[in-house]
């Protein structure tokens, strides 16, 4: 019996001293994770073509929230499952940060960029955006591109029903009833140029808040220069000479393929017109509207 206990103790000691076969991958995992932590923690302003980026001071609440996510990223423990099992952690070495796949453009519907910044720095508002662009062209970044802002709310684009998780939100300082300034649109296009290049965002995925939430939102307004953006490679625009849609073309299906939620077809048609027609914002599905839908549908 003593020999049995002796061998048992020796076996336990040997097992406890054995080399972790995943030690190398765990070391590489931790090294990569450290790099990504530094990436999402970066608050340095970046130069944009034409404009100068301005940043605001980051308060303690932001830093505290950021460290919460950094701690979550570092978590490597086990988790209990409902069937009584526990997850096991083995570090992979093949990973990176998730990248945004779309840009959602908003107007603030407020009176100044200062008011919007205040709104986004109060916890009780529960709303935020990655960037805010002032009427004078000032660009304020409020959240790292890789992190999830709360700008889209409930909405969808195609099969994507969690827009906040896959997009970058840009708010334009505009109350919704005034034209957008040239300086503001110039800064917007400079920023879009940077984002599109860095994250390989598809041209047709540069859209408005009303596109993803047609029954709830109407921003940016009909005064927003979507055509100008499209001419510079940010979004699509119908052909100048419209082709007549085939008789068997289904406009509702066309809207769905473009990305619109057509459960409320009238709202989807109105949102489409707000973006692509702008001089005729209603829910009437006339032949001209069908032809424009067909033109955009062919650009997908």
């Amino acid at each position: 019996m003593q020999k049995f206990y002796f061998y048992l103790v020796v076996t336990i000691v040997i097992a406890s001293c054995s080399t972790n076969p995943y030690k190398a991958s765990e070391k590489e995992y931790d090294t990569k994770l450290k790099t990504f932590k530094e990436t999402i923690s970066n608050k340095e302003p970046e130069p944009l073509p034409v404009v100068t980026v301005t940043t605001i001071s980051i308060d303690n609440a932001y830093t505290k929230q950021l460290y919460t996510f950094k701690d979550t990223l570092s978590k490597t423990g086990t988790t209990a499952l409902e069937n009584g099992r526990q997850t096991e952690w083995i570090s992979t070495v093949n990973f990176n940060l998730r990248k945004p796949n779309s840009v959602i453009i908003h107007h603030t519907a407020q009176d100044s960029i200062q008011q919007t910044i205040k709104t986004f720095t109060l916890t009780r508002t529960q709303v935020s955006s990655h960037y805010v662009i002032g009427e004078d062209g000032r660009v304020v970044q409020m959240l790292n591109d890789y992190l999830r802002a709360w700008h889209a709310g409930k909405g969808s684009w195609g099969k994507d029903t969690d827009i906040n998780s896959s997009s970058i939100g840009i708010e334009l300082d505009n109350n919704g009833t005034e034209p957008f300034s040239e300086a503001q649109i110039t800064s917007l296009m400079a920023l879009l140029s940077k984002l599109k290049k860095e994250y390989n965002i598809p041209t047709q995925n540069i859209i408005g808040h009303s596109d993803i939430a047609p029954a709830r939102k109407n921003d940016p307004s009909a005064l927003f220069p979507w055509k100008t953006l499209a001419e510079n490679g940010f979004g699509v625009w119908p052909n100048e000479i419209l082709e007549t849609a085939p008789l068997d073309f289904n406009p509702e299906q066309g809207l769905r393929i473009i990305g619109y939620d057509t459960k409320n077809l009238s709202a989807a048609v109105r949102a489409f017109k707000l973006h692509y027609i702008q001089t005729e914002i209603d829910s009437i599905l006339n032949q001209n509207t069908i032809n424009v839908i067909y033109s955009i549908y062919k650009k997908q």
Side-chain angles (χ1 to χ4, degrees), residues 119-140:
T119 298
F120 291 170
T121 53
L122 294 175
T123 304
R124 68 173 182 269
T125 64
Q126 296 291 284
V127 64
S128 60
S129 190
H130 294 88
Y131 298 90
V132 183
I133 303 180
E135 186 180 5
D136 61 355
R138 175 188 180 193
V139 180
V140 177

Side-chain angles (χ1 to χ4, degrees), residues 250-260 262 265 268-269 272 293:
N250 184 329
E252 180 179 358
Q253 186 178 39
L255 285 170
R256 283 203 306 272
I257 290 172
I258 293 167
Y260 288 91
T262 60
L265 182 57
V269 171
F272 178 86
I293 292 172

Side-chain angles (χ1 to χ4, degrees), residues 24-66:
S25 69
E26 287 192 4
K27 183 178 180 180
E28 189 167 345
Y29 178 93
D30 291 339
T31 300
K32 276 193 171 184
L33 193 62
K34 184 178 180 181
T35 302
F36 292 141
K37 285 181 183 178
E38 291 172 356
T39 298
I40 66 171
S41 302
N42 182 36
K43 304 171 194 171
E44 293 299 315
E46 297 182 46
L48 295 176
V50 182
V51 300
T52 301
V53 177
T54 307
T55 59
I56 60 168
S57 59
I58 305 301
D59 59 16
N60 291 333
Y62 178 92
T63 304
K64 184 177 179 181
Q65 180 82 334
L66 186 64

Side-chain angles (χ1 to χ4, degrees), residues 19-33 89-95:
T19 304
N20 178 0
Y22 304 109
K23 187 174 182 180
S25 69
E26 287 192 4
K27 183 178 180 180
E28 189 167 345
Y29 178 93
D30 291 339
T31 300
K32 276 193 171 184
L33 193 62
W89 182 275
I90 298 175
S91 301
T92 181
V93 297
N94 304 313
F95 66 99

Side-chain angles (χ1 to χ4, degrees), residues 180-193:
F180 296 82
S181 72
E182 183 177 347
Q184 191 172 47
I185 298 305
T186 299
S187 290
L188 171 63
M189 290 195 294
L191 177 58
L192 288 175
S193 180

